Amino acid sequence: MPRFSDSTHTARPSDAPRVVDGKNRERTVDPAALEMLQVSKELGQITAFDRAVAQQPQCQFGYKGICCRICIQGPCRIKADDGPASRGICGASAYTIVARNLVRYIAGGTSSHSDHGRHIARTLLHMSEGHAPDYKIADPGKLYKVAQRIGIATEGKEELEVAKEVAVAALEDYGRYNDDACTFLNTTITKGREAKFRATNVAPTSIDRSVVQLLAQTTMGMDADPVNIIFGGLKAALADYTGMHIATDLTDVIFGTPKPTVSEANLGVIDPDKINIAVHGHNPLVSEMVVAAAHELEAEAQKTGAKGINIVGICCTGNELLMRKGVYLAANSASQELAIMTGALDAMIMDVQCMMPTVTTLCECFHTKVVTTNEIAKMPNALHYPFNEVTAMEDARAIVKIAIDNYANRDPEKVTASKNKSKVVAGFSLEALEEIFAAVNPDRPISVLTDAIKSGEIKGVCLFAGCNNLKGFQDQGHLEMIKEMAANDVFLVATGCSAGAFAKAGFMSPLAVDTYAGPGLKAFLSRLQDANKLSHGLPLVFHMGACVDNTRSADLATAMANEMGVDVPKVPFVASAPEAMHEKAVAIGAWCVTMGLPVHVGTMPPVEGSDLIYGVVTQIAHDVFGGHFILEMDPKLAAKKLLNALEYRTWKLGVHLNAAEKYGTSLAQGY
Ligand code: BF8
Ligand code: SF4
C-alpha cells in the first residue's frame, strides 16, 4: 500500500492558491472579526487584515527560501539553475540556503518556548527558596509525578524540597557540561524514540547548546551539507520539545493541572457593563496573578459604576487561563487588534510572544491602555510595568488598578458590543482525558482509545495546532478541516490558536458532536459520556491547551504507542497546522515529524527553492523517523491526505498484528 492510498495524492501540493483572495481585507470567517473589521473600516483604522493585503504580492525568493541574508555581503538570491547566479556570493547553493533558513526558524521557535519554560522553572526554584511567596504549589500530585518520572526520590522530603530539586533538574536541561541527553526529553518518550534519537545524533544534551550550536552551524562559511543542517535543526526541535515539556509540567505544578471546565469564546465575551481586562501573550505567570488581583479588587472596581471586572484572554495566555480557570477566550492571534475595536477594553496586559505592536497605534483612537510586563517584550507607546515574581501580587494589583482607573476614560459612543460568542467545554489535560477513559476501563484507560481504533469505530487521532496566517482567511483552514476529520470519525484534540478557532466557532461545545461527528465518533463519545455522566457533556474537539502544551498531545501519542506495544510511527495519530505562521510552529512541526507523526501544514513554508529539501521534509523524513510533512493548501484535500495517512497506519498495524498472531511472533516494528 502506498503512503497515500489515493494515487492522485503525491508529496506535492495541489494548485490551490497560496494567498486566498489577496485583495480582500475581510480575510476571516469569524463573524465577530467581520463585525469589528467593519468598525475599523469606518474609523479608518489599519489592522493586520489591511497589512496582509498591502504586502501582496510577496517576494518569491523569500517565499521559496532562496534569499540569504546571513552575512552582509548579501542579500543573495538564487536566480538561476546553473552559472554564477545559481549560488550566493560565498558559494552557498540553493539547498544550503533553504536548509539554513528553515532551521533558523527552529532556533527562533525553540528559543521562544524554552525561554518561557525557563521562566517557569526559575519561578518554581525561587518559590521553593521562599523568594516568590505569591506562587504556591497548586498540584502537589503532579509535582510528585514529575519528580518520580525524572528520577528524584521523594520519600521523607517536604513538598518545597522536591519542588526545588525538580526546578534544578529542569534548569540543568538548559545547560549541562556533559553529553547526557535532556531529562525532560528522555523520560517522556518511548524507548524506541530514545534509541532512534541516539542513533541519528539528534538528542540534545542541553537546550541552550542546541540553539547556539545551530546558529554556529548555519553561519556564513560553516555547514554546507543540507542534510546535516536539517539534522542540526531536528536536534534543536527536540530541545524545543524539552523546553515545552518543562513549561507544561511546571505550570501544572504551580497553577494546577487542567480539568474540564465550561466557558465561552469570541469577542462577545467582552462585557460593556464591566471593566474589561484582556491578558495577552503566553506565559501565565503574569496573567494568573492578574486574575487573582482582579478578584481582590472587585469591590473597588464597582465603585467606578462598572458591574465588576471581566478578564478575557487572547492567544495562548488566554488558552492557559481558559484551561485552568475557565476564563473567557476573546480572540486568537489574527483578531487580537479587533478586541480593541470593541471600544470596551480598558487594558490589554501583555506578557510574551505573538503580540502585534500595532495594538498601541489603535489605542490612539480608543482609550485602551496597553501594559507590557516583560523586559524582552516592550512596545513603543505602551506603558511598561516591569512585573517581578518576587512582588507578583503587588505588581498584579497595580496593573489591575491601571484598568480600573482607565474605565472613566471609556467613550460609550465608541463601544461596539459583539453578540458573537460560543459555549466551550475545555480543560483536557492528558490527566483529564485519562480520567474520562478510566470511567470505561480503570486499569488501562488509554486502551479505550486504542481499542476503538483497532475495532474501526474511530480512525485515529488528529491534533490540530498552530496559528492564524492571513495568507488565507482567518480560521477557515481550521474549520474546513475539522469538519472533514470529524465526519470521518477521527478523535480530535487541539491547542493554540487552532483551539481558539474551534472554541470561537462552537466546535468545543457538545452540540457540535451531533452536527459534525460521524457515526463512529458519535458512538465513541457517547460511550465516554455515558460512563462519566458529565453535566457539561463532552465536546467535539478536546482543548489540550496552549501552543506550549503540544507536549500534552505528544504524551498522548506516546501513551498510545506504549499501550499498543509499538513505537509512535505505527500509531494512527496525525497532526495538522492548517494556518501555521510562527517560528514556534516550525519547531513544533519538526519535532512532531521526528517523533514519528505525519504533519500537515496548510501554509507553504519556504522550502520550494530546493527540491532536495522539499524531498527530505516530505519523504525522506518518513524513512528515517516515520513522520513527514504533508504540505497542502487546500483544506479538504489536506484532510483527505491525513485520513489516508491514518488509514495507512491502521492497515499496516492490522497486517502486522495478524501476522504476529498467526505465526506466534513478536509484532513487526517496521513503518
Ligand atoms: O503559541 S498558535 S499564533 S498564539 S505561535 Fe502564536 Fe501560533 Fe497562536 Fe500561541 Ni502558538
Ligand atoms: Fe550571500 Fe553567502 Fe552571505 Fe548568504 S552567507 S548572504 S549566500 S554571501
Side-chain angles (χ1 to χ4, degrees):
M1 186 169 176
R3 196 166 301 158
F4 298 124
S5 62
D6 182 337
S7 58
T8 61
H9 294 174
T10 69
R12 290 282 171 194
S14 66
D15 55 9
R18 304 303 178 86
V19 177
V20 182
D21 200 1
K23 293 204 167 97
N24 185 354
R25 79 181 276 280
E26 269 79 44
R27 321 184 55 69
T28 177
V29 296
D30 173 351
L34 282 168
E35 222 174 0
M36 295 307 150
L37 277 176
Q38 189 53 38
V39 175
S40 75
K41 192 174 181 181
E42 281 159 17
L43 294 171
Q45 293 294 311
I46 294 168
T47 69
F49 294 82
D50 305 286
R51 296 189 295 270
V53 172
Q55 284 297 334
Q56 302 311 321
Q58 285 167 294
C59 167
Q60 289 304 296
F61 290 103
Y63 185 76
K64 293 186 174 140
I66 42 174
C67 170
C68 184
R69 295 177 297 105
I70 281 173
C71 86
I72 51 178
Q73 199 161 205
C76 295
R77 296 166 302 163
I78 302 302
K79 295 192 256 185
D81 289 337
D82 43 35
S86 66
R87 288 183 181 253
I89 295 168
C90 68
S93 63
Y95 53 57
T96 302
I97 292 174
V98 172
R100 286 198 307 214
N101 286 339
L102 188 65
V103 300
R104 282 187 165 220
Y105 278 153
I106 297 177
T110 303
S111 303
S112 305
H113 281 138
S114 64
D115 208 44
H116 168 167
R118 183 192 336 250
H119 200 167
I120 305 272
R122 281 171 59 90
T123 304
L124 185 66
L125 178 68
H126 294 157
M127 181 224 286
S128 70
E129 292 172 336
H131 304 312
D134 297 330
Y135 296 95
K136 301 273 172 310
I137 294 173
D139 189 347
K142 180 102 184 201
L143 173 67
Y144 283 91
K145 199 172 113 186
V146 173
Q148 276 148 17
R149 194 188 70 214
I150 63 176
I152 290 174
T154 55
E155 234 182 76
K157 285 184 193 160
E158 296 282 322
E159 224 167 78
L160 287 180
E161 214 178 326
V162 178
K164 181 168 178 167
E165 287 184 37
V166 167
V168 168
L171 290 166
E172 274 171 0
D173 269 358
Y174 284 84
R176 62 170 50 77
Y177 57 84
N178 61 28
D179 287 339
D180 292 349
C182 290
T183 308
F184 278 74
L185 172 68
N186 266 11
T187 57
T188 55
I189 53 178
T190 59
K191 290 284 163 242
R193 287 295 95 179
E194 192 186 333
K196 172 62 78 178
F197 297 161
R198 210 172 345 143
T200 50
N201 190 27
V202 294
T205 60
S206 68
I207 297 166
D208 291 352
R209 182 178 168 197
S210 72
V211 174
V212 171
Q213 192 173 49
L214 188 57
L215 291 177
Q217 185 178 3
T218 54
T219 196
M220 185 268 158
M222 275 293 280
D223 205 338
D225 177 340
V227 176
N228 205 42
I229 292 170
I230 296 287
F231 274 72
L234 296 183
K235 189 182 281 188
L238 289 173
D240 181 63
Y241 169 93
T242 310
M244 290 172 69
H245 220 297
I246 289 171
T248 299
D249 281 342
L250 305 193
T251 307
D252 283 355
V253 169
I254 300 175
F255 298 118
T257 305
K259 295 189 176 73
T261 176
V262 181
S263 186
E264 290 176 332
N266 216 345
L267 293 174
V269 300
I270 296 174
D271 182 347
D273 294 333
K274 292 190 173 173
I275 293 169
N276 292 294
I277 302 177
V279 281
H280 182 3
H282 284 75
N283 190 330
L285 287 172
V286 176
S287 51
E288 280 272 355
M289 292 294 140
V290 168
V291 171
H295 281 309
E296 268 187 36
L297 295 170
E298 187 72 13
E300 188 172 332
Q302 285 171 359
K303 284 187 202 148
T304 61
K307 285 193 179 150
I309 302 177
N310 182 37
I311 308 275
V312 302
I314 296 181
C315 286
C316 284
T317 274
N319 284 321
E320 297 269 3
L321 294 184
L322 167 64
M323 291 286 286
R324 293 195 182 83
K325 297 273 181 311
V327 167
Y328 299 139
L329 183 72
N332 55 353
S333 81
S335 44
Q336 57 182 272
E337 294 164 299
L338 302 180
I340 290 173
M341 291 302 154
T342 62
L345 214 55
D346 301 294
M348 192 184 255
I349 317 298
M350 317 299 239
D351 55 85
V352 288
Q353 301 167 19
C354 299
M355 307 168 305
M356 297 184 192
T358 37
V359 288
T360 59
T361 318
L362 298 172
C363 294
E364 287 165 15
C365 181
F366 292 93
H367 78 298
T368 312
K369 279 237 164 29
V370 177
V371 184
T372 54
T373 57
N374 191 288
E375 63 176 350
I376 58 163
K378 298 183 180 180
M379 285 177 190
N381 299 325
L383 184 73
H384 185 69
Y385 192 101
F387 188 89
N388 185 342
E389 286 71 45
V390 178
T391 50
M393 272 309 281
E394 195 185 317
D395 294 350
R397 277 185 216 110
I399 290 168
V400 171
K401 278 186 186 148
I402 293 169
I404 296 177
D405 293 344
N406 195 32
Y407 176 68
N409 298 324
R410 192 192 287 180
D411 179 354
E413 303 266 293
K414 284 190 182 161
V415 172
T416 312
S418 174
K419 293 259 177 294
N420 281 298
K421 58 181 176 180
S422 300
K423 180 183 167 180
V424 176
V425 181
F428 296 98
S429 55
L430 181 56
E431 289 85 343
L433 276 181
E434 278 173 342
E435 207 176 309
I436 288 167
F437 296 144
V440 178
N441 185 342
D443 299 327
R444 288 171 41 213
I446 296 294
S447 73
V448 175
L449 187 57
T450 51
D451 286 351
I453 295 170
K454 281 186 202 155
S455 75
E457 183 174 45
I458 54 174
K459 278 209 173 73
V461 180
C462 182
L463 159 67
F464 277 91
C467 326
N468 284 140
N469 185 324
L470 289 176
K471 283 196 173 110
F473 280 28
Q474 179 195 19
D475 298 346
Q476 190 171 34
H478 299 287
L479 301 184
E480 282 196 16
M481 284 190 71
I482 205 93
K483 288 181 201 161
E484 294 291 319
M485 299 304 271
N488 281 284
D489 299 321
V490 178
F491 183 74
L492 301 161
V493 296
T495 56
C497 286
S498 190
F502 302 136
K504 291 187 301 171
F507 285 74
M508 288 180 166
S509 144
L511 291 177
V513 177
D514 286 337
T515 320
Y516 298 106
L521 182 59
K522 228 178 247 176
F524 179 67
L525 293 177
S526 80
R527 203 162 63 254
L528 293 179
Q529 171 60 16
D530 289 349
N532 284 277
K533 310 237 167 344
L534 298 164
S535 57
H536 46 69
L538 289 174
L540 178 72
V541 188
F542 289 75
H543 195 325
M544 290 196 87
C547 218
V548 82
D549 296 326
N550 276 308
T551 48
R552 293 192 202 280
S553 25
D555 288 350
L556 175 61
T558 299
M560 289 169 72
N562 289 335
E563 174 61 42
M564 296 161 98
V566 297
D567 197 5
V568 179
K570 289 185 82 78
V571 179
F573 193 119
V574 293
S576 171
E579 302 179 22
M581 168 273 286
H582 204 280
E583 288 174 315
K584 291 178 284 175
V586 181
I588 294 169
W591 66 247
C592 279
V593 164
T594 318
M595 287 290 171
L597 302 178
V599 177
H600 162 251
V601 181
T603 43
M604 182 57 83
V607 291
E608 290 176 297
S610 161
D611 284 346
L612 189 145
I613 301 299
Y614 192 93
V616 167
V617 302
T618 58
Q619 294 170 84
I620 308 296
H622 178 91
D623 300 334
V624 183
F625 294 105
H628 59 284
F629 281 104
I630 298 170
L631 306 173
E632 177 55 63
M633 271 49 69
D634 176 340
K636 285 207 167 64
L637 195 53
K640 276 195 187 142
K641 290 183 177 182
L642 283 177
L643 289 165
N644 264 198
L646 285 175
E647 282 159 9
Y648 171 73
R649 287 188 169 212
T650 315
W651 168 82
K652 200 160 199 174
L653 189 65
V655 170
H656 288 167
L657 281 168
N658 284 342
E661 200 172 303
K662 192 166 165 192
Y663 301 108
T665 54
S666 57
L667 187 64
Q669 294 292 333
Y671 43 82

